[in-house]
Amino acid sequence: MPSNNEIAVPGDLPSGITEKEYLSGKISVLRNRNLANVFYRLGFVEIFGTGIARIKQLYKESLRKPDFEVTENTIKIMLPVYEENMNLTEDEKKVYNILSKTMLKSMSEIAPYVSFGKSKTAQLLKDMQKKGVVEVEGRGRGTKYIIK
């Protein structure tokens, strides 16, 4: 899978803010001015205190979504490489999220991670190949798949 960019901020949530409120992006308290300035200079943030909502908005059309982890001592945000939707069906997205851009994967490495059978998975991979999303290498039992 593509790598994530990870941001970890030491400390817990500001007093009076629940994890649910924090992740909704509706309430925010600026805690790390240096990090906020980096995002501001990169053009990711126009107004301080809107980070979570902006991150979610930026990834709205992406196949891979950011992951937020709130623990007692840190708040961690994993930002995946942005990938456009490419008009994939919901089932195709499930298969896509298992594939890699750098490593060929066989059907036996894909099938255990999806909720449907090998024949449907094979058909989805074929459809994704027609859409130009997946590249197929090999034949028969040696067939492997990779994201283009």
Side-chain angles (χ1 to χ4, degrees), residues 17-42:
I17 296 180
T18 67
E19 181 176 346
K20 186 176 178 179
E21 290 171 325
Y22 171 76
L23 294 177
S24 75
K26 295 176 183 166
I27 298 175
S28 183
V29 175
L30 181 59
R31 303 257 322 251
N32 187 328
R33 188 162 297 283
N34 292 333
L35 184 59
N37 280 325
V38 168
F39 281 123
Y40 179 76
R41 290 177 187 206
L42 289 172

Side-chain angles (χ1 to χ4, degrees), residues 2 6 8 27 31 51 56 60-61 70 85 96 98 103-104 106 111 117 124 127 129 131 136 140 144:
E6 189 174 292
I27 298 175
R31 303 257 322 251
K56 287 182 174 182
K60 186 176 181 183
E61 299 299 321
V70 179
N85 191 327
Y96 182 91
I98 295 161
M103 188 173 88
L104 290 164
S106 66
L124 291 168
D127 294 344
Q129 180 187 18
K131 291 180 179 181
V136 180
K144 296 204 174 192

Side-chain angles (χ1 to χ4, degrees), residues 79-108:
L79 301 174
V81 174
Y82 184 89
E83 295 175 332
E84 289 186 32
N85 191 327
M86 299 175 275
N87 295 320
L88 298 180
T89 66
E90 288 304 312
D91 288 343
E92 288 171 339
K93 288 177 189 176
K94 290 174 186 174
V95 173
Y96 182 91
N97 284 325
I98 295 161
L99 296 173
S100 169
K101 286 187 175 187
T102 57
M103 188 173 88
L104 290 164
K105 290 193 175 185
S106 66
M107 180 62 72
S108 62

